[in-house]
Amino acid sequence: PDQFQEVEVSPPALPHLPPGAIVVWGQTSASPHGHISVALGNGQEASDHVQSQITSLRGASNYRVFIPRDG
């Protein structure tokens, strides 16, 4: 728990997350399991594949962002 800090990030700022930031999307009716990704720091995210960082999950914006603490 002390290796990450939860921060508030607006949807338009999600593509600008630093490398290693974790985005945890909650469940939606269209995505019953939610979504988890790791920011690559270049506007991309990695989960089961690499894609542009999403800013909504099928229209939902229920997410939490965790930034690695300096170690």
Side-chain angles (χ1 to χ4, degrees):
D2 57 342
Q3 294 179 356
F4 288 87
Q5 174 183 354
E6 186 171 2
V7 296
E8 288 190 33
V9 177
S10 68
L14 288 171
H16 306 287
L17 290 171
I22 298 172
V23 183
V24 180
W25 294 86
Q27 297 176 325
T28 70
S29 59
S31 294
H33 302 291
H35 179 68
I36 297 175
S37 66
V38 178
L40 300 178
N42 59 357
Q44 301 279 300
E45 68 174 20
S47 58
D48 58 336
H49 62 280
V50 174
Q51 67 180 9
S52 294
Q53 177 67 55
I54 61 172
T55 57
S56 72
L57 182 60
R58 298 189 170 128
S61 59
N62 58 337
Y63 61 89
R64 298 170 69 187
V65 176
F66 300 88
I67 304 291
R69 293 185 189 269
D70 293 335

Short mmCIF file of all heavy atoms in Angstrom, two decimals:
data_model
loop_
_atom_site.label_atom_id
_atom_site.label_comp_id
_atom_site.label_asym_id
_atom_site.label_seq_id
_atom_site.Cartn_x
_atom_site.Cartn_y
_atom_site.Cartn_z
N PRO A 1 0.80 -1.21 0.00
CA PRO A 1 0.00 0.00 0.00
C PRO A 1 0.85 1.27 0.00
O PRO A 1 0.40 2.30 -0.49
CB PRO A 1 -0.82 -0.10 1.27
CG PRO A 1 -0.51 -1.41 1.90
CD PRO A 1 0.55 -2.07 1.10
N ASP A 2 2.05 1.21 0.53
CA ASP A 2 2.87 2.42 0.58
C ASP A 2 3.68 2.63 -0.70
O ASP A 2 4.41 3.60 -0.82
CB ASP A 2 3.79 2.39 1.79
CG ASP A 2 4.69 1.17 1.83
OD1 ASP A 2 4.38 0.18 1.14
OD2 ASP A 2 5.69 1.20 2.56
N GLN A 3 3.55 1.75 -1.68
CA GLN A 3 4.28 1.91 -2.93
C GLN A 3 3.51 2.72 -3.97
O GLN A 3 4.08 3.15 -4.97
CB GLN A 3 4.64 0.55 -3.51
CG GLN A 3 5.61 -0.21 -2.63
CD GLN A 3 5.95 -1.57 -3.19
OE1 GLN A 3 5.42 -2.00 -4.21
NE2 GLN A 3 6.84 -2.26 -2.52
N PHE A 4 2.21 2.94 -3.73
CA PHE A 4 1.38 3.71 -4.64
C PHE A 4 0.58 4.74 -3.88
O PHE A 4 0.23 4.53 -2.72
CB PHE A 4 0.41 2.80 -5.41
CG PHE A 4 1.09 1.95 -6.44
CD1 PHE A 4 1.62 0.72 -6.10
CD2 PHE A 4 1.21 2.37 -7.75
CE1 PHE A 4 2.25 -0.07 -7.04
CE2 PHE A 4 1.84 1.59 -8.69
CZ PHE A 4 2.36 0.36 -8.34
N GLN A 5 0.26 5.82 -4.54
CA GLN A 5 -0.59 6.87 -3.97
C GLN A 5 -1.78 7.05 -4.89
O GLN A 5 -1.62 7.22 -6.10
CB GLN A 5 0.20 8.17 -3.87
CG GLN A 5 -0.65 9.34 -3.43
CD GLN A 5 0.15 10.63 -3.42
OE1 GLN A 5 1.36 10.64 -3.63
NE2 GLN A 5 -0.53 11.72 -3.17
N GLU A 6 -2.99 7.02 -4.32
CA GLU A 6 -4.18 7.27 -5.13
C GLU A 6 -4.30 8.77 -5.38
O GLU A 6 -4.13 9.58 -4.47
CB GLU A 6 -5.43 6.75 -4.43
CG GLU A 6 -6.66 6.87 -5.30
CD GLU A 6 -7.88 6.16 -4.73
OE1 GLU A 6 -7.81 5.59 -3.62
OE2 GLU A 6 -8.92 6.19 -5.41
N VAL A 7 -4.56 9.13 -6.63
CA VAL A 7 -4.69 10.53 -7.01
C VAL A 7 -5.95 10.70 -7.85
O VAL A 7 -6.43 9.76 -8.48
CB VAL A 7 -3.47 11.03 -7.81
CG1 VAL A 7 -2.21 11.01 -6.97
CG2 VAL A 7 -3.26 10.22 -9.08
N GLU A 8 -6.49 11.92 -7.83
CA GLU A 8 -7.63 12.24 -8.69
C GLU A 8 -7.09 12.78 -10.00
O GLU A 8 -6.23 13.66 -10.02
CB GLU A 8 -8.53 13.26 -8.02
CG GLU A 8 -9.32 12.69 -6.87
CD GLU A 8 -10.39 13.65 -6.37
OE1 GLU A 8 -10.94 14.41 -7.18
OE2 GLU A 8 -10.64 13.62 -5.16
N VAL A 9 -7.62 12.26 -11.09
CA VAL A 9 -7.20 12.65 -12.43
C VAL A 9 -8.46 12.81 -13.27
O VAL A 9 -9.30 11.91 -13.29
CB VAL A 9 -6.26 11.58 -13.05
CG1 VAL A 9 -5.86 11.96 -14.46
CG2 VAL A 9 -5.03 11.38 -12.19
N SER A 10 -8.57 13.91 -13.97
CA SER A 10 -9.74 14.11 -14.84
C SER A 10 -9.61 13.21 -16.07
O SER A 10 -8.50 12.87 -16.49
CB SER A 10 -9.84 15.57 -15.27
OG SER A 10 -8.77 15.89 -16.13
N PRO A 11 -10.73 12.84 -16.68
CA PRO A 11 -10.65 12.00 -17.88
C PRO A 11 -9.73 12.55 -18.97
O PRO A 11 -8.93 11.78 -19.53
CB PRO A 11 -12.12 11.89 -18.34
CG PRO A 11 -12.90 12.01 -17.08
CD PRO A 11 -12.14 13.03 -16.26
N PRO A 12 -9.76 13.87 -19.28
CA PRO A 12 -8.85 14.35 -20.33
C PRO A 12 -7.37 14.22 -19.98
O PRO A 12 -6.52 14.21 -20.87
CB PRO A 12 -9.24 15.82 -20.51
CG PRO A 12 -10.60 15.95 -19.94
CD PRO A 12 -10.69 14.92 -18.85
N ALA A 13 -7.06 14.12 -18.69
CA ALA A 13 -5.66 14.01 -18.26
C ALA A 13 -5.14 12.58 -18.25
O ALA A 13 -3.94 12.36 -18.12
CB ALA A 13 -5.48 14.64 -16.88
N LEU A 14 -6.02 11.59 -18.39
CA LEU A 14 -5.59 10.20 -18.33
C LEU A 14 -4.49 9.86 -19.35
O LEU A 14 -3.55 9.14 -19.00
CB LEU A 14 -6.78 9.26 -18.50
CG LEU A 14 -7.73 9.19 -17.30
CD1 LEU A 14 -8.98 8.39 -17.66
CD2 LEU A 14 -7.05 8.58 -16.09
N PRO A 15 -4.53 10.35 -20.58
CA PRO A 15 -3.44 10.02 -21.52
C PRO A 15 -2.08 10.59 -21.13
O PRO A 15 -1.07 10.24 -21.72
CB PRO A 15 -3.92 10.62 -22.85
CG PRO A 15 -5.40 10.69 -22.73
CD PRO A 15 -5.64 11.01 -21.27
N HIS A 16 -2.06 11.46 -20.13
CA HIS A 16 -0.80 12.10 -19.71
C HIS A 16 -0.24 11.50 -18.43
O HIS A 16 0.66 12.09 -17.81
CB HIS A 16 -1.03 13.60 -19.55
CG HIS A 16 -1.62 14.22 -20.78
ND1 HIS A 16 -0.90 14.43 -21.93
CD2 HIS A 16 -2.88 14.62 -21.05
CE1 HIS A 16 -1.69 14.95 -22.86
NE2 HIS A 16 -2.90 15.08 -22.34
N LEU A 17 -0.74 10.34 -18.03
CA LEU A 17 -0.24 9.69 -16.81
C LEU A 17 1.22 9.27 -16.98
O LEU A 17 1.66 8.94 -18.08
CB LEU A 17 -1.08 8.45 -16.50
CG LEU A 17 -2.51 8.72 -16.04
CD1 LEU A 17 -3.29 7.40 -15.97
CD2 LEU A 17 -2.53 9.41 -14.69
N PRO A 18 1.96 9.25 -15.86
CA PRO A 18 3.36 8.81 -15.94
C PRO A 18 3.44 7.30 -16.10
O PRO A 18 2.50 6.57 -15.76
CB PRO A 18 3.94 9.26 -14.59
CG PRO A 18 2.77 9.23 -13.66
CD PRO A 18 1.59 9.67 -14.50
N PRO A 19 4.58 6.81 -16.57
CA PRO A 19 4.75 5.37 -16.69
C PRO A 19 4.55 4.68 -15.34
O PRO A 19 5.02 5.18 -14.31
CB PRO A 19 6.20 5.21 -17.15
CG PRO A 19 6.61 6.52 -17.67
CD PRO A 19 5.77 7.55 -16.96
N GLY A 20 3.85 3.57 -15.36
CA GLY A 20 3.64 2.80 -14.14
C GLY A 20 2.36 3.13 -13.40
O GLY A 20 2.00 2.43 -12.46
N ALA A 21 1.67 4.21 -13.79
CA ALA A 21 0.40 4.53 -13.15
C ALA A 21 -0.60 3.42 -13.48
O ALA A 21 -0.62 2.89 -14.59
CB ALA A 21 -0.12 5.87 -13.62
N ILE A 22 -1.41 3.08 -12.51
CA ILE A 22 -2.41 2.02 -12.67
C ILE A 22 -3.79 2.65 -12.66
O ILE A 22 -4.10 3.45 -11.78
CB ILE A 22 -2.28 0.97 -11.55
CG1 ILE A 22 -0.90 0.32 -11.63
CG2 ILE A 22 -3.39 -0.06 -11.65
CD1 ILE A 22 -0.58 -0.60 -10.48
N VAL A 23 -4.60 2.29 -13.65
CA VAL A 23 -5.97 2.78 -13.73
C VAL A 23 -6.89 1.57 -13.54
O VAL A 23 -6.78 0.58 -14.25
CB VAL A 23 -6.27 3.46 -15.08
CG1 VAL A 23 -7.69 4.01 -15.10
CG2 VAL A 23 -5.26 4.57 -15.35
N VAL A 24 -7.77 1.68 -12.54
CA VAL A 24 -8.70 0.60 -12.21
C VAL A 24 -10.11 1.11 -12.50
O VAL A 24 -10.58 2.03 -11.84
CB VAL A 24 -8.58 0.17 -10.73
CG1 VAL A 24 -9.55 -0.95 -10.41
CG2 VAL A 24 -7.15 -0.23 -10.41
N TRP A 25 -10.75 0.53 -13.50
CA TRP A 25 -12.11 0.89 -13.89
C TRP A 25 -13.08 -0.04 -13.18
O TRP A 25 -12.88 -1.25 -13.14
CB TRP A 25 -12.28 0.77 -15.40
CG TRP A 25 -11.45 1.74 -16.16
CD1 TRP A 25 -10.14 1.59 -16.56
CD2 TRP A 25 -11.84 3.03 -16.60
NE1 TRP A 25 -9.72 2.70 -17.22
CE2 TRP A 25 -10.74 3.61 -17.27
CE3 TRP A 25 -13.03 3.76 -16.51
CZ2 TRP A 25 -10.80 4.88 -17.83
CZ3 TRP A 25 -13.08 5.02 -17.08
CH2 TRP A 25 -11.97 5.57 -17.73
N GLY A 26 -14.17 0.53 -12.67
CA GLY A 26 -15.20 -0.26 -12.01
C GLY A 26 -16.07 -1.00 -13.01
O GLY A 26 -15.96 -0.83 -14.22
N GLN A 27 -16.94 -1.80 -12.47
CA GLN A 27 -17.86 -2.57 -13.29
C GLN A 27 -18.89 -1.67 -13.97
O GLN A 27 -19.25 -0.62 -13.43
CB GLN A 27 -18.63 -3.57 -12.42
CG GLN A 27 -17.77 -4.61 -11.77
CD GLN A 27 -18.58 -5.50 -10.85
OE1 GLN A 27 -19.53 -5.05 -10.21
NE2 GLN A 27 -18.21 -6.76 -10.79
N THR A 28 -19.31 -2.08 -15.14
CA THR A 28 -20.43 -1.44 -15.82
C THR A 28 -21.31 -2.56 -16.36
O THR A 28 -20.91 -3.73 -16.37
CB THR A 28 -19.98 -0.56 -17.00
OG1 THR A 28 -19.49 -1.39 -18.05
CG2 THR A 28 -18.91 0.43 -16.60
N SER A 29 -22.50 -2.22 -16.82
CA SER A 29 -23.35 -3.26 -17.39
C SER A 29 -22.71 -3.88 -18.64
O SER A 29 -22.87 -5.06 -18.91
CB SER A 29 -24.74 -2.70 -17.72
OG SER A 29 -24.62 -1.64 -18.64
N ALA A 30 -21.96 -3.07 -19.39
CA ALA A 30 -21.29 -3.57 -20.58
C ALA A 30 -19.94 -4.23 -20.27
O ALA A 30 -19.42 -4.99 -21.08
CB ALA A 30 -21.10 -2.44 -21.58
N SER A 31 -19.35 -3.91 -19.13
CA SER A 31 -18.07 -4.49 -18.70
C SER A 31 -18.20 -4.98 -17.27
O SER A 31 -17.78 -4.31 -16.33
CB SER A 31 -16.95 -3.45 -18.79
OG SER A 31 -16.71 -3.07 -20.11
N PRO A 32 -18.80 -6.15 -17.08
CA PRO A 32 -19.09 -6.62 -15.72
C PRO A 32 -17.86 -6.88 -14.86
O PRO A 32 -17.97 -6.97 -13.65
CB PRO A 32 -19.91 -7.89 -15.94
CG PRO A 32 -19.60 -8.33 -17.33
CD PRO A 32 -19.28 -7.08 -18.09
N HIS A 33 -16.69 -6.97 -15.49
CA HIS A 33 -15.47 -7.21 -14.73
C HIS A 33 -14.60 -5.96 -14.63
O HIS A 33 -13.51 -6.00 -14.06
CB HIS A 33 -14.67 -8.35 -15.35
CG HIS A 33 -15.45 -9.62 -15.43
ND1 HIS A 33 -15.81 -10.34 -14.32
CD2 HIS A 33 -15.98 -10.27 -16.49
CE1 HIS A 33 -16.52 -11.39 -14.68
NE2 HIS A 33 -16.64 -11.38 -16.00
N GLY A 34 -15.05 -4.84 -15.21
CA GLY A 34 -14.25 -3.62 -15.20
C GLY A 34 -13.04 -3.76 -16.11
O GLY A 34 -13.05 -4.52 -17.08
N HIS A 35 -11.98 -3.04 -15.77
CA HIS A 35 -10.77 -3.03 -16.61
C HIS A 35 -9.63 -2.49 -15.76
O HIS A 35 -9.82 -1.58 -14.96
CB HIS A 35 -10.99 -2.11 -17.82
CG HIS A 35 -9.83 -1.99 -18.75
ND1 HIS A 35 -9.38 -3.03 -19.53
CD2 HIS A 35 -9.03 -0.93 -19.03
CE1 HIS A 35 -8.35 -2.61 -20.25
NE2 HIS A 35 -8.13 -1.34 -19.96
N ILE A 36 -8.45 -3.05 -15.92
CA ILE A 36 -7.25 -2.56 -15.24
C ILE A 36 -6.16 -2.40 -16.29
O ILE A 36 -5.98 -3.27 -17.13
CB ILE A 36 -6.78 -3.54 -14.14
CG1 ILE A 36 -7.85 -3.68 -13.06
CG2 ILE A 36 -5.46 -3.07 -13.54
CD1 ILE A 36 -7.52 -4.71 -12.01
N SER A 37 -5.46 -1.27 -16.21
CA SER A 37 -4.35 -1.05 -17.15
C SER A 37 -3.20 -0.35 -16.44
O SER A 37 -3.37 0.24 -15.38
CB SER A 37 -4.82 -0.22 -18.35
OG SER A 37 -5.17 1.08 -17.93
N VAL A 38 -2.05 -0.43 -17.08
CA VAL A 38 -0.84 0.26 -16.61
C VAL A 38 -0.46 1.27 -17.68
O VAL A 38 -0.34 0.93 -18.87
CB VAL A 38 0.32 -0.73 -16.38
CG1 VAL A 38 1.58 0.00 -15.95
CG2 VAL A 38 -0.08 -1.78 -15.36
N ALA A 39 -0.29 2.53 -17.28
CA ALA A 39 0.11 3.58 -18.22
C ALA A 39 1.56 3.36 -18.64
O ALA A 39 2.42 3.03 -17.81
CB ALA A 39 -0.04 4.95 -17.57
N LEU A 40 1.82 3.55 -19.91
CA LEU A 40 3.17 3.41 -20.43
C LEU A 40 3.91 4.75 -20.49
O LEU A 40 5.10 4.78 -20.78
CB LEU A 40 3.13 2.77 -21.81
CG LEU A 40 2.51 1.36 -21.84
CD1 LEU A 40 2.48 0.82 -23.26
CD2 LEU A 40 3.24 0.42 -20.91
N GLY A 41 3.19 5.84 -20.23
CA GLY A 41 3.82 7.16 -20.17
C GLY A 41 3.88 7.89 -21.49
O GLY A 41 4.43 8.97 -21.59
N ASN A 42 3.29 7.31 -22.52
CA ASN A 42 3.32 7.93 -23.84
C ASN A 42 1.91 8.02 -24.44
O ASN A 42 1.75 8.01 -25.65
CB ASN A 42 4.23 7.14 -24.78
CG ASN A 42 3.78 5.69 -24.94
OD1 ASN A 42 2.82 5.25 -24.31
ND2 ASN A 42 4.48 4.95 -25.77
N GLY A 43 0.90 8.08 -23.55
CA GLY A 43 -0.48 8.12 -24.01
C GLY A 43 -1.04 6.75 -24.29
O GLY A 43 -2.17 6.61 -24.75
N GLN A 44 -0.26 5.73 -24.00
CA GLN A 44 -0.66 4.34 -24.23
C GLN A 44 -0.88 3.64 -22.89
O GLN A 44 -0.34 4.06 -21.87
CB GLN A 44 0.42 3.59 -25.01
CG GLN A 44 0.75 4.18 -26.36
CD GLN A 44 -0.25 3.75 -27.41
OE1 GLN A 44 -0.42 2.58 -27.67
NE2 GLN A 44 -0.93 4.73 -27.99
N GLU A 45 -1.67 2.56 -22.94
CA GLU A 45 -1.87 1.72 -21.76
C GLU A 45 -1.62 0.28 -22.16
O GLU A 45 -1.78 -0.10 -23.32
CB GLU A 45 -3.28 1.86 -21.20
CG GLU A 45 -4.36 1.31 -22.11
CD GLU A 45 -5.75 1.31 -21.47
OE1 GLU A 45 -5.99 2.05 -20.52
OE2 GLU A 45 -6.59 0.55 -21.96
N ALA A 46 -1.23 -0.52 -21.18
CA ALA A 46 -1.05 -1.95 -21.39
C ALA A 46 -1.98 -2.69 -20.44
O ALA A 46 -2.05 -2.37 -19.26
CB ALA A 46 0.40 -2.35 -21.13
N SER A 47 -2.71 -3.64 -20.98
CA SER A 47 -3.51 -4.56 -20.18
C SER A 47 -3.28 -5.93 -20.80
O SER A 47 -2.18 -6.44 -20.73
CB SER A 47 -4.98 -4.14 -20.14
OG SER A 47 -5.53 -4.09 -21.45
N ASP A 48 -4.27 -6.48 -21.48
CA ASP A 48 -4.02 -7.71 -22.23
C ASP A 48 -3.51 -7.39 -23.63
O ASP A 48 -3.20 -8.28 -24.40
CB ASP A 48 -5.26 -8.60 -22.27
CG ASP A 48 -6.47 -7.89 -22.88
OD1 ASP A 48 -6.50 -6.65 -22.85
OD2 ASP A 48 -7.37 -8.59 -23.36
N HIS A 49 -3.43 -6.09 -23.96
CA HIS A 49 -2.86 -5.59 -25.19
C HIS A 49 -2.49 -4.13 -24.98
O HIS A 49 -2.84 -3.55 -23.96
CB HIS A 49 -3.83 -5.76 -26.37
CG HIS A 49 -5.10 -5.00 -26.21
ND1 HIS A 49 -6.15 -5.44 -25.43
CD2 HIS A 49 -5.51 -3.81 -26.71
CE1 HIS A 49 -7.14 -4.56 -25.46
NE2 HIS A 49 -6.77 -3.56 -26.23
N VAL A 50 -1.78 -3.54 -25.91
CA VAL A 50 -1.40 -2.12 -25.82
C VAL A 50 -2.33 -1.32 -26.72
O VAL A 50 -2.60 -1.71 -27.85
CB VAL A 50 0.07 -1.91 -26.25
CG1 VAL A 50 0.43 -0.45 -26.29
CG2 VAL A 50 1.00 -2.67 -25.31
N GLN A 51 -2.83 -0.21 -26.17
CA GLN A 51 -3.72 0.67 -26.92
C GLN A 51 -3.59 2.08 -26.37
O GLN A 51 -2.94 2.30 -25.35
CB GLN A 51 -5.17 0.21 -26.81
CG GLN A 51 -5.76 0.33 -25.41
CD GLN A 51 -7.21 -0.12 -25.34
OE1 GLN A 51 -7.74 -0.68 -26.28
NE2 GLN A 51 -7.85 0.12 -24.21
N SER A 52 -4.21 3.04 -27.03
CA SER A 52 -4.27 4.40 -26.50
C SER A 52 -4.99 4.37 -25.16
O SER A 52 -5.95 3.60 -24.98
CB SER A 52 -5.02 5.33 -27.46
OG SER A 52 -4.30 5.47 -28.66
N GLN A 53 -4.52 5.19 -24.23
CA GLN A 53 -5.15 5.24 -22.90
C GLN A 53 -6.63 5.59 -23.04
O GLN A 53 -6.96 6.61 -23.66
CB GLN A 53 -4.45 6.28 -22.02
CG GLN A 53 -5.07 6.47 -20.66
CD GLN A 53 -4.92 5.24 -19.78
OE1 GLN A 53 -3.81 4.76 -19.57
NE2 GLN A 53 -6.02 4.72 -19.28
N ILE A 54 -7.50 4.77 -22.50
CA ILE A 54 -8.92 5.07 -22.58
C ILE A 54 -9.28 6.14 -21.56
O ILE A 54 -8.63 6.26 -20.51
CB ILE A 54 -9.80 3.82 -22.41
CG1 ILE A 54 -9.60 3.16 -21.04
CG2 ILE A 54 -9.54 2.82 -23.53
CD1 ILE A 54 -10.58 2.04 -20.75
N THR A 55 -10.28 6.93 -21.89
CA THR A 55 -10.74 8.00 -20.99
C THR A 55 -12.16 7.75 -20.50
O THR A 55 -12.69 8.55 -19.74
CB THR A 55 -10.64 9.37 -21.69
OG1 THR A 55 -11.40 9.34 -22.89
CG2 THR A 55 -9.18 9.71 -22.00
N SER A 56 -12.76 6.67 -20.97
CA SER A 56 -14.04 6.19 -20.43
C SER A 56 -14.14 4.72 -20.77
O SER A 56 -13.54 4.26 -21.74
CB SER A 56 -15.24 6.95 -20.99
OG SER A 56 -15.47 6.60 -22.33
N LEU A 57 -14.85 3.99 -19.95
CA LEU A 57 -15.04 2.57 -20.19
C LEU A 57 -16.47 2.36 -20.64
O LEU A 57 -17.39 2.34 -19.83
CB LEU A 57 -14.75 1.76 -18.92
CG LEU A 57 -14.87 0.24 -19.06
CD1 LEU A 57 -13.89 -0.29 -20.10
CD2 LEU A 57 -14.64 -0.44 -17.72
N ARG A 58 -16.63 2.31 -21.95
CA ARG A 58 -17.95 2.13 -22.55
C ARG A 58 -18.95 3.14 -22.00
O ARG A 58 -20.06 2.82 -21.60
CB ARG A 58 -18.43 0.71 -22.37
CG ARG A 58 -17.51 -0.28 -23.07
CD ARG A 58 -18.07 -1.66 -23.08
NE ARG A 58 -17.24 -2.47 -23.95
CZ ARG A 58 -16.71 -3.62 -23.59
NH1 ARG A 58 -16.92 -4.13 -22.41
NH2 ARG A 58 -15.99 -4.29 -24.45
N GLY A 59 -18.49 4.40 -21.94
CA GLY A 59 -19.34 5.50 -21.50
C GLY A 59 -19.29 5.79 -20.01
O GLY A 59 -19.78 6.81 -19.56
N ALA A 60 -18.66 4.92 -19.22
CA ALA A 60 -18.58 5.12 -17.77
C ALA A 60 -17.28 5.81 -17.40
O ALA A 60 -16.28 5.69 -18.10
CB ALA A 60 -18.69 3.78 -17.04
N SER A 61 -17.30 6.52 -16.30
CA SER A 61 -16.08 7.19 -15.83
C SER A 61 -15.84 6.88 -14.36
O SER A 61 -15.38 7.72 -13.61
CB SER A 61 -16.17 8.70 -16.06
OG SER A 61 -17.29 9.23 -15.37
N ASN A 62 -16.12 5.65 -13.96
CA ASN A 62 -15.90 5.23 -12.58
C ASN A 62 -14.54 4.52 -12.49
O ASN A 62 -14.43 3.33 -12.67
CB ASN A 62 -17.03 4.33 -12.09
CG ASN A 62 -17.23 3.09 -12.94
OD1 ASN A 62 -16.85 3.05 -14.10
ND2 ASN A 62 -17.81 2.05 -12.38
N TYR A 63 -13.51 5.31 -12.25
CA TYR A 63 -12.16 4.77 -12.20
C TYR A 63 -11.39 5.35 -11.02
O TYR A 63 -11.75 6.37 -10.46
CB TYR A 63 -11.41 5.06 -13.51
CG TYR A 63 -11.25 6.52 -13.81
CD1 TYR A 63 -10.15 7.24 -13.34
CD2 TYR A 63 -12.21 7.21 -14.55
CE1 TYR A 63 -10.01 8.58 -13.60
CE2 TYR A 63 -12.07 8.55 -14.83
CZ TYR A 63 -10.97 9.23 -14.35
OH TYR A 63 -10.84 10.57 -14.62
N ARG A 64 -10.30 4.66 -10.68
CA ARG A 64 -9.36 5.12 -9.66
C ARG A 64 -7.97 5.05 -10.27
O ARG A 64 -7.68 4.15 -11.06
CB ARG A 64 -9.44 4.24 -8.41
CG ARG A 64 -10.82 4.30 -7.76
CD ARG A 64 -10.99 3.26 -6.68
NE ARG A 64 -10.13 3.61 -5.54
CZ ARG A 64 -9.97 2.80 -4.48
NH1 ARG A 64 -10.58 1.65 -4.42
NH2 ARG A 64 -9.18 3.17 -3.49
N VAL A 65 -7.13 6.01 -9.91
CA VAL A 65 -5.77 6.08 -10.45
C VAL A 65 -4.78 6.00 -9.30
O VAL A 65 -4.92 6.69 -8.29
CB VAL A 65 -5.55 7.38 -11.25
CG1 VAL A 65 -4.11 7.48 -11.74
CG2 VAL A 65 -6.53 7.46 -12.42
N PHE A 66 -3.76 5.16 -9.50
CA PHE A 66 -2.71 4.98 -8.50
C PHE A 66 -1.36 5.26 -9.16
O PHE A 66 -1.03 4.67 -10.18
CB PHE A 66 -2.75 3.54 -7.95
CG PHE A 66 -4.07 3.22 -7.29
CD1 PHE A 66 -5.12 2.71 -8.03
CD2 PHE A 66 -4.25 3.44 -5.94
CE1 PHE A 66 -6.34 2.41 -7.44
CE2 PHE A 66 -5.47 3.16 -5.33
CZ PHE A 66 -6.52 2.64 -6.08
N ILE A 67 -0.61 6.18 -8.56
CA ILE A 67 0.69 6.61 -9.08
C ILE A 67 1.78 6.00 -8.20
O ILE A 67 1.69 6.05 -6.97
CB ILE A 67 0.81 8.14 -9.03
CG1 ILE A 67 -0.34 8.81 -9.80
CG2 ILE A 67 2.16 8.62 -9.56
CD1 ILE A 67 -0.28 8.62 -11.28
N PRO A 68 2.84 5.43 -8.82
CA PRO A 68 3.94 4.89 -8.01
C PRO A 68 4.60 6.02 -7.20
O PRO A 68 4.80 7.11 -7.70
CB PRO A 68 4.91 4.33 -9.03
CG PRO A 68 4.18 4.26 -10.31
CD PRO A 68 3.06 5.26 -10.24
N ARG A 69 4.91 5.71 -5.97
CA ARG A 69 5.66 6.67 -5.13
C ARG A 69 7.14 6.56 -5.49
O ARG A 69 7.63 5.50 -5.88
CB ARG A 69 5.48 6.34 -3.64
CG ARG A 69 4.07 6.56 -3.15
CD ARG A 69 4.05 6.31 -1.62
NE ARG A 69 2.72 6.28 -1.10
CZ ARG A 69 2.06 7.32 -0.64
NH1 ARG A 69 2.64 8.52 -0.65
NH2 ARG A 69 0.86 7.20 -0.16
N ASP A 70 7.84 7.66 -5.33
CA ASP A 70 9.28 7.63 -5.54
C ASP A 70 9.90 6.73 -4.49
O ASP A 70 9.55 6.81 -3.31
CB ASP A 70 9.88 9.04 -5.45
CG ASP A 70 9.42 9.92 -6.60
OD1 ASP A 70 9.07 9.37 -7.67
OD2 ASP A 70 9.40 11.15 -6.44
N GLY A 71 10.79 5.87 -4.93
CA GLY A 71 11.25 4.88 -4.01
C GLY A 71 12.60 4.97 -3.54
O GLY A 71 13.12 4.43 -2.71
#
